Amino acid sequence: MEPEKYAKKVKASAPASPLLKNCVKAFFFGGLICLIGEALFTAFTEFNISDRNAAAWVCISLIMITALLTGIGVFDKIAKHAGAGTMVPITGFANSVAAPAIEYQTEGRVLGTAVKMFTIAGPVIVYGCSAASLYGFVFYFFIQR
Amino acid sequence: MKRRGRYVVAFDSLPVIISAASSVGKAEGEGPLSQCFDCVNSNDGIGSSTWERAEASLVKQAVAASVKKAAVKMPDIDVAFAGDLLNQCTASTFGLRDTDIPLAGLFGACSTFALALFMCAAAVDTGAVRLALAEASSHFCSAEKQFRFPLEYGGQRTPTAQRTVTGAGAALVAPEGEGVYITHGMIGRITDYGVKDIANMGAAMAPAAARTIADFLKDTHSQPGDYDMILTGDLGSVGSDLLLEIMQEEYGVDINNVHADCGKMIFDSQVQDAHAGGSGCGCSASVVCSHIIPQMKENKLKRVLFAGTGALMSPLSALQGDSIPAVTHAVLLVAKGGGS
């Protein structure tokens, strides 16, 4: 059978991902994380922390909570349902660093944990930094003036 | 040993599987076949510090159980044919390194157990091997680590994805004795219909399974109705549907009534979050050893064509954009009184 013909057959026989259900769940969970972020922000500002610093503390808190939930094996069970809801916010990034760090402990602190820590998050860092540099360059030389 | 037709080999001396046993993990022990397995581990770590060592422990458990069942001793085994999914087949090697059994490592991805049975039957049929061991294993966690993502990574799977079985199966093949005969076998051809989606292995392997089953039927001049079961290794629900379609369309053979798939049997997909079913070397190895062979010994099944399916890609080949080549090896298992 030609690959094109078989590809059509495969597509027809593969059950589709439940797109609507996934979107609704992602919206709910993603919104919930944002809500937690807002609540933390309000709490931090109550303690006379400036808005700018409070935003940083929110990030740090969410990263810590995610790393903890990843470590005790709960995060992936939530993420299985939440999908993009947990992956898109900073929780997704924190999980993608914490998960390989745990997994590769058995290969040692250096060649295991440290080397493999960024196997998933690496591309985000590389292209995130590249995009930020490009944006900064354009902003500094062309827009700011 | 004689060739029948183009691809099939007949083992004239009728090698016998004198014992078969399996060891599985927690999820498999909670599945529909929970009562069948010889050893069910309550957690997937199996008292080991790494997933790879845990898989080697599964190998040890399955081999020990099969040896015990046959009432033989480890040193009686002349050769072992064993394989798994890990790089350099470490689960098999590390699992068997303290046994002193001469070992030939095999790689056939998830088709390994069928390949191992073929090799054992061929070795015994030569007359030079008095007792051969066929063994294959896989572990959900070690496979995830090597082929996919870290366990705690919060990703979603597509409905076509399959769950790697945590399990090992071991069978002892001898020139004579009580058990199940291996009368014929064939080594499959590599088949590639251009599937690149590593989350849909069933679709990649179905064409190889169809080709081997069609070749086998043709070479042995037999019909699907001549078998109680045509059992594929781990096509899962998606691959099984495709197999039936390809058999009809390309080869004009209807195997609907006799087809079964180990990947569809081992988990309850509705309850166990296994998506399209089980996969991995340990899937067909544990199901054949603990579910199929016992039924054959009780004469509930007489003739089973076991077609082990394997997807032969590597994580690198997938990243490099290559399609997934697949293979299917087959052995014909015949119960006592099941005809030749």
Side-chain angles (χ1 to χ4, degrees), chain B residues 35 61 66 80 84-85 88 109 113 116-117 125 142 207 210 295 325:
Chain B
Q35 299 304 316
Q61 290 173 343
S66 70
D84 56 84
L85 294 175
Q88 288 77 41
F113 193 63
L117 284 178
D125 204 58
S142 61
Q295 287 188 71

Side-chain angles (χ1 to χ4, degrees), chain B residues 77-102:
Chain B
I77 301 171
D78 287 334
V79 63
F81 294 100
D84 56 84
L85 294 175
L86 301 182
N87 290 336
Q88 288 77 41
C89 287
T90 45
S92 312
T93 310
F94 289 27
L96 291 167
R97 72 174 154 189
D98 298 328
T99 61
D100 259 354
I101 303 170

Side-chain angles (χ1 to χ4, degrees), chain A residues 74-92:
Chain A
V74 173
F75 189 86
D76 61 317
K77 294 187 176 67
I78 302 170
K80 195 177 80 182
H81 298 288
T86 44
M87 196 183 283
V88 175
I90 200 161
T91 47

Side-chain angles (χ1 to χ4, degrees), chain B residues 6-337:
Chain B
R6 175 66 189 87
Y7 300 106
V8 172
V9 174
F11 303 115
D12 296 326
S13 71
L14 300 180
V16 192
I17 300 173
I18 57 165
S19 86
S22 69
S23 173
V24 297
K26 185 167 179 276
E28 294 69 22
E30 289 166 354
L33 304 182
S34 60
Q35 299 304 316
C36 308
F37 303 116
D38 298 84
C39 179
V40 175
N41 291 281
S42 56
N43 71 70
D44 289 351
I46 318 177
S48 307
S49 52
T50 72
W51 301 126
E52 292 73 16
R53 286 182 197 133
E55 190 175 334
S57 299
L58 281 176
V59 174
K60 278 183 199 167
Q61 290 173 343
V63 172
S66 70
V67 166
K68 195 179 166 195
K69 267 190 182 176
V72 295
K73 294 190 187 77
M74 290 277 187
D76 296 337
I77 301 171
D78 287 334
V79 63
F81 294 100
D84 56 84
L85 294 175
L86 301 182
N87 290 336
Q88 288 77 41
C89 287
T90 45
S92 312
T93 310
F94 289 27
L96 291 167
R97 72 174 154 189
D98 298 328
T99 61
D100 259 354
I101 303 170
L103 169 66
L106 296 181
F107 181 76
C110 311
S111 70
T112 301
F113 193 63
L115 179 60
L117 284 178
F118 179 98
M119 297 304 292
C120 284
V124 167
D125 204 58
T126 61
V129 169
R130 295 157 298 180
L131 190 58
L133 170 72
E135 192 281 328
S137 67
S138 56
H139 192 299
F140 173 74
C141 303
S142 61
E144 287 295 304
K145 187 173 173 181
Q146 181 170 311
F147 291 98
R148 295 178 196 96
F149 291 111
L151 282 186
E152 302 302 333
Y153 177 65
Q156 280 180 319
R157 290 159 171 271
T158 60
T160 55
Q162 290 169 253
R163 183 188 163 96
T164 305
V165 165
T166 299
L172 286 168
V173 183
E176 52 199 13
E178 284 292 308
V180 173
Y181 300 109
I182 305 176
T183 63
H184 297 74
M186 71 173 272
I187 301 281
R189 290 180 277 166
I190 308 283
T191 306
D192 189 340
Y193 277 21
V195 174
K196 289 186 177 176
D197 182 4
I198 53 166
N200 194 355
M201 304 281 223
M205 297 188 291
R211 199 179 201 182
T212 292
I213 294 167
D215 284 343
F216 194 93
L217 296 177
K218 190 179 166 208
D219 283 357
T220 52
H221 305 292
S222 58
Q223 309 292 327
D226 298 332
Y227 303 90
D228 293 326
M229 189 187 270
I230 294 178
L231 179 70
T232 47
D234 58 349
L235 293 180
S237 52
V238 176
S240 293
D241 291 348
L242 285 164
L243 168 70
L244 300 180
E245 269 187 57
I246 300 168
M247 287 303 295
Q248 282 277 17
E249 270 185 41
E250 276 195 61
Y251 304 101
V253 180
D254 181 357
I255 59 165
N256 283 23
N257 293 330
V258 287
H259 176 254
D261 182 72
C262 301
K264 280 169 78 175
M265 292 177 186
I266 196 162
F267 294 121
D268 182 345
S269 284
Q270 302 295 322
V271 188
Q272 289 194 288
D273 196 33
H275 299 261
S279 68
C281 306
C283 179
S284 60
S286 58
V287 172
V288 167
C289 287
S290 289
H291 184 53
I292 303 299
I293 289 176
Q295 287 188 71
M296 299 191 75
K297 282 186 172 172
E298 291 171 18
N299 252 312
K300 286 179 189 160
L301 289 170
K302 288 194 170 70
R303 293 168 66 81
V304 175
L305 178 60
F306 167 41
T309 43
L312 304 174
M313 81 299 164
S314 78
L316 280 185
S317 74
L319 285 177
Q320 290 169 356
D322 283 310
S323 57
I324 303 169
V327 75
T328 297
H329 307 297
V331 283
L332 177 57
L333 308 176
V334 178
K336 215 167 192 182

